[in-house]
Amino acid sequence: MSLPPEKITELKQIIHNQLNQMDVQTRIRDVLSTSLLDESHGAPANEFGERELLDVLRDQGIIEEVMSQLQFSGAVGLPSRPRAAPQEPKPASHFPDKQDKVMGVPLKKANIDPTRRYLYLQVLSGKAFLEHLQEPEPLPGQTTSTFLLHVHFRGQRFRSRPVPCACEPDFREGFLLELHKESGGDASRMLDAASMLSICDPVHLVLVKTDPSGDTSLVSSHLLQWRTVLSSQGARQTIAVELLGLGAESKVPVGMLEVKLELLPTPSQQLTGEVITTQINLERSRTSERERLFLVYAKQWWREFLQIRPSHQNRLVKIFAQDENATNRPVCAFVKPLRAGRLLDTPRQAARFISVIGYEQAPAVGGGQPREQWSSTHAFLCKNKGDCEDHAVLLCSLLLGFGLDAYVCVGTKAKGAAHTWVVTLGVDGLVTFWESLTGHRYIHQPINPNDPPIVDQPRPQYPYRTIGCVFNHQRFYANSQPSDNAEVCRFDFHDESLWKAMSVDAIQSVCGSGSQATWPNLPPLVPSSFDAALLSNEIELSLRSLVSDHRKDLGLTCIWDPELSYLLTPALAAYELERSTGVVAGNEEFQQAIRRAVPDGHTFKGFPIQFVHRNARRAFAACLRSSVCEEIICCRGDHVKLAVRVRVYTYPESACAVWIMFACKYKSVL
């Protein structure tokens, strides 16, 4: 089985970290020294080679110990986490570590608390992925497209190993999901059958495809109803899960998963199928009734809004949006306060994190205008890219988690293109726009159109043209001011002549906690699985090779200057610091170092650029499209020396900012 480059990098780092923890290198040196010493008294030392060293390591049990600690699974060829001595079990709100996320948590390797209840979800196989019916067998060493299955349940997230795309992908995974109550008094008590029946949260399965270049795409998003296992004999059940497509193809099957569900420990009471069906139907009928009443209210509210001014018909007031499964949901349901734990320290760092998640509009089959699709937060994080609505919703959720009064803004940019961003209101009346795609912040000072021309008016720096509505998880306001122009917009939500508000009770009836039984809560963020230094070094070496080949094709020599390459590091650090905090620092030291490194009579040129992907070949092709960078890479002259520096800054999930700087110095002839 072949793996994509980022998975190979991650696997190398896992093995490297484990070997360092076990101090294997020191033990190998000791064995080698002892063996060579013995050889010096017997056979010639040059006969002691790699094979003899492996034999000695095997005889002393070192190889067996390393393999047992890494716990390789022969079926998948990927490591799972080495298990330490028994310890206090992790609460379900905590995440497994990086190695757990590679394999999930197989039952036989998990620390199970006998006083708590678990749902063991096994994915046995995949079938009928007909799109890959003609997929050729990968050649040895060839990188192929892979499937990755993500699981989210009540604050617990796991992901499978990468599986090569095929008509019957080889999914063989186990995920241990803890069933727990959210209230403090019941959290430590083992749940009985009746308590488990009251847990309406579904298991959210997200299937993502990764192509050989590392580009990801969402294949399916499925909400698995797990409570049917309560009526099964021995609390075990094997079911076939039909995965459906996205958007307009949400009724079209894309494949099947054979899933086995098991409750641990086995509950003493077994419910009947009728009881479970009745409970599920009751929850659905309650949800449907709340949604029906909200729809009736929203229609009446919209009629009242149109009666204020006929031109309101043309304003972007977004009350409902479709998720990836083409289900209509109130926009307020997409936003929930989200705390990042210790992964993000400031609101500006959160904005930077959101900005390095890839941007992609949902493609339309057959071309044409991209279709609008608001992804669930879990699906957005799994594919690591999305539209402006996805970025704005997640940024608003994080800013709410940081205690800010944040709202998602729906309006237009230049040329009338629909756009979504975030606005925060300070207690002192300060209004700040946050562009989720770039991380930029803009202070909003409204223009008073009634002021005489002699009065100086603030010049807006933001790119927004109109504002139709704003909302968060509790509030929804439609802009009812005489003009929806962003420059004159006033954010006084208490003034009913400026904003028409929806009823808070009506919003909470469909967006409040527990109001949507089929809509999972926001998933917690997980730390990055990448090693920044290792990834930076690999991309830099790849770029050096690409530059050398490119210059060779042009008939030019390629001489690298390692010292100059290292001196570029402070500049890249300063660029990232400015993007994440808005503070410019370190420029003076960088300039002084460059002046000292470039001799008199020589010229220095540099070109920095940032990417949000880790594909060196794609980055190099993009750099060549810049005339400035091409001039550096293809530099001709006397005493030409080249330099390249790569610095990867990792953020939660799979997000990272990849800074690259090409530079050269040469002797000026003219």
Side-chain angles (χ1 to χ4, degrees):
M1 182 188 74
S2 57
L3 297 175
E6 62 271 14
K7 294 302 175 187
I8 296 176
T9 301
E10 182 177 346
L11 184 56
K12 288 180 179 177
Q13 185 62 33
I14 291 171
I15 298 174
H16 178 73
N17 292 341
Q18 186 59 42
L19 294 180
N20 284 340
Q21 291 175 9
M22 297 171 62
D23 199 19
V24 172
Q25 295 178 353
T26 302
R27 298 170 66 181
I28 292 176
R29 280 196 296 267
D30 293 341
V31 170
L32 185 60
S33 300
T34 304
S35 301
L36 291 178
L37 183 61
D38 294 340
E39 290 289 340
S40 64
H41 298 290
N46 56 10
E47 293 184 6
F48 189 83
E50 181 179 342
R51 178 172 299 179
E52 287 76 16
L53 176 60
L54 289 175
D55 291 338
V56 175
L57 294 176
R58 189 178 294 107
D59 293 340
Q60 296 192 9
I62 296 178
I63 292 181
E64 183 179 354
E65 181 182 351
V66 171
M67 297 300 291
S68 64
Q69 288 293 318
L70 287 176
Q71 292 180 341
F72 278 95
S73 171
V76 296
L78 283 175
S80 63
R81 181 176 66 177
R83 292 295 171 187
Q87 56 182 356
E88 286 296 318
K90 297 179 182 178
S93 58
H94 287 192
F95 284 99
D97 61 17
K98 297 178 183 178
Q99 287 86 333
D100 278 341
K101 292 186 293 177
V102 177
M103 277 291 295
V105 183
L107 176 62
K108 63 181 180 181
K109 300 176 183 177
N111 291 326
I112 297 179
D113 182 0
T115 65
R116 299 176 77 86
R117 188 81 68 186
Y118 297 88
L119 172 67
Y120 184 47
L121 185 150
Q122 287 180 279
V123 183
L124 303 178
S125 64
K127 299 178 180 178
F129 286 82
L130 300 181
E131 182 180 346
H132 303 278
L133 184 61
Q134 304 297 330
E135 198 82 17
E137 284 292 326
L139 299 175
Q142 179 185 6
T143 303
T144 64
S145 298
T146 57
F147 284 137
L148 202 62
L149 183 65
H150 298 259
V151 179
H152 170 227
F153 178 69
R154 295 174 69 81
Q156 305 161 81
R157 289 180 61 190
F158 302 92
R159 70 180 184 185
S160 72
R161 60 186 171 89
V163 175
C165 294
C167 182
E168 296 185 356
D170 185 26
F171 285 112
R172 281 182 289 175
E173 298 291 343
F175 306 100
L176 193 66
L177 309 175
E178 185 176 350
L179 298 169
H180 62 95
K181 281 290 187 182
E182 295 174 353
S183 59
D186 294 333
S188 60
R189 180 173 61 86
M190 180 180 288
L191 301 181
D192 55 18
S195 299
M196 287 187 284
L197 183 61
S198 66
I199 298 178
C200 58
D201 300 66
V203 178
H204 193 191
L205 304 176
V206 174
L207 185 62
V208 174
K209 177 182 176 181
T210 306
D211 64 20
S213 66
D215 194 28
T216 59
S217 59
L218 191 63
V219 177
S220 181
S221 174
H222 181 80
L223 299 173
L224 174 64
Q225 180 56 258
W226 60 272
R227 285 178 289 178
T228 54
V229 72
L230 294 171
S231 63
S232 303
Q233 186 68 30
R236 292 186 182 91
Q237 182 185 38
T238 300
I239 58 176
V241 177
E242 184 180 52
L243 301 181
L244 301 176
L246 308 170
E249 303 175 33
S250 60
K251 306 297 183 184
V252 181
V254 297
M256 301 275 293
L257 293 179
E258 186 181 2
V259 174
K260 181 180 179 181
L261 302 174
E262 182 178 0
L263 292 175
L264 300 172
T266 304
S268 58
Q269 180 185 6
Q270 179 181 337
L271 302 179
T272 63
E274 290 76 10
V275 171
I276 297 174
T277 302
T278 301
Q279 173 70 17
I280 293 175
N281 290 339
L282 179 61
E283 293 170 355
R284 288 175 178 172
S285 63
R286 288 175 178 172
T287 301
S288 298
E289 180 62 15
R290 284 194 293 260
E291 291 175 348
R292 186 190 68 82
L293 293 176
F294 180 77
L295 180 60
V296 172
Y297 167 77
K299 288 182 177 179
Q300 177 60 31
W301 180 90
W302 176 248
R303 284 193 292 268
E304 294 173 358
F305 180 68
L306 294 182
Q307 290 174 4
I308 298 176
R309 202 173 283 110
S311 61
H312 287 182
Q313 178 71 43
N314 301 321
R315 297 192 178 183
L316 276 179
V317 179
K318 191 78 175 174
I319 304 175
F320 296 93
Q322 283 192 348
D323 64 10
E324 66 267 19
N325 292 323
T327 303
N328 280 317
R329 302 188 185 276
V331 291
C332 296
F334 288 85
V335 181
K336 288 282 192 303
L338 178 61
R339 294 182 178 179
R342 300 187 184 277
L343 301 180
L344 299 170
D345 298 325
T346 66
R348 296 193 184 191
Q349 190 180 17
R352 177 59 176 161
F353 157 58
I354 299 299
S355 70
V356 297
I357 298 178
Y359 170 69
E360 178 190 62
Q361 292 181 303
V365 177
Q369 290 293 328
R371 55 187 171 88
E372 184 183 277
Q373 173 182 297
W374 292 39
S375 300
S376 64
T377 302
H378 185 219
F380 173 48
L381 293 175
C382 290
K383 65 179 178 178
N384 198 38
K385 60 182 177 182
D387 209 338
C388 60
E389 294 87 1
D390 305 327
H391 287 77
V393 163
L394 183 54
L395 177 57
C396 183
S397 299
L398 287 169
L399 295 184
L400 288 169
F402 276 109
L404 300 182
D405 189 16
Y407 301 84
V408 176
C409 255
V410 179
T412 62
K413 294 176 69 176
K415 300 182 180 179
H419 191 62
T420 308
W421 65 99
V422 178
V423 60
T424 55
L425 309 182
V427 293
D428 56 354
L430 181 67
V431 178
T432 307
F433 290 151
W434 301 67
E435 176 49 61
S436 58
L437 296 181
T438 63
H440 293 164
R441 300 166 63 254
Y442 307 96
I443 303 301
H444 172 65
Q445 294 179 324
I447 295 175
N448 188 349
N450 298 322
D451 283 344
I454 197 173
V455 177
D456 290 335
Q457 298 286 4
R459 289 193 172 188
Q461 302 297 319
Y462 46 79
Y464 316 120
R465 174 174 291 182
T466 64
I467 298 175
C469 66
V470 299
F471 65 88
N472 60 18
H473 63 301
Q474 294 177 332
R475 312 281 180 178
F476 186 97
Y477 299 100
N479 187 357
S480 59
Q481 300 173 53
S483 171
D484 63 349
N485 195 304
E487 296 179 350
V488 301
C489 186
R490 295 163 55 194
F491 284 86
D492 183 3
F493 293 146
H494 300 290
D495 192 338
E496 296 182 357
S497 66
L498 302 179
W499 299 91
K500 180 170 177 57
M502 269 194 173
S503 166
V504 175
D505 293 336
I507 294 174
Q508 290 303 299
S509 68
V510 291
C511 303
S513 177
S515 60
Q516 293 196 349
T518 59
W519 185 245
N521 292 323
L522 288 187
L525 301 180
V526 297
S528 175
S529 59
F530 298 117
D531 182 280
L534 187 65
L535 195 55
S536 301
N537 190 56
E538 288 198 355
I539 297 176
E540 185 172 314
L541 291 176
S542 299
L543 288 175
R544 284 194 179 192
S545 177
L546 291 170
V547 171
S548 299
D549 292 342
H550 186 74
R551 288 181 62 86
K552 183 178 180 181
D553 292 340
L554 298 176
L556 301 174
T557 59
C558 189
I559 301 176
W560 294 101
D561 188 338
E563 180 183 356
L564 183 60
S565 297
Y566 180 75
L567 295 182
L568 303 178
T569 308
L572 301 182
Y575 297 145
E576 181 61 24
L577 180 66
E578 182 181 3
R579 293 289 182 93
S580 59
T581 65
V583 177
V584 180
N587 188 44
E588 298 83 0
E589 294 85 351
F590 170 68
Q591 291 185 1
Q592 292 175 11
I594 294 299
R595 288 195 182 101
R596 287 175 51 85
V598 178
D600 292 339
H602 285 65
T603 301
F604 170 83
K605 291 182 179 180
F607 175 79
I609 191 171
Q610 181 225 303
F611 298 95
V612 296
H613 61 79
R614 304 174 299 279
N615 190 313
R617 193 169 295 275
R618 276 177 58 191
F620 182 67
C623 291
L624 285 179
R625 288 194 288 270
S626 167
S627 58
V628 177
C629 187
E630 184 185 20
E631 184 179 341
I632 293 174
I633 294 175
C634 305
C635 180
R636 298 171 182 267
D638 192 15
H639 294 88
V640 176
K641 289 189 177 181
L642 300 174
V644 61
R645 193 65 170 172
V646 176
R647 184 68 169 89
V648 176
Y649 294 89
T650 57
Y651 287 89
E653 303 293 329
S654 299
C656 61
V658 180
W659 281 99
I660 301 173
M661 189 168 187
F662 289 100
C664 69
K665 64 178 182 179
Y666 59 94
K667 187 174 183 180
S668 303
V669 178
L670 297 179

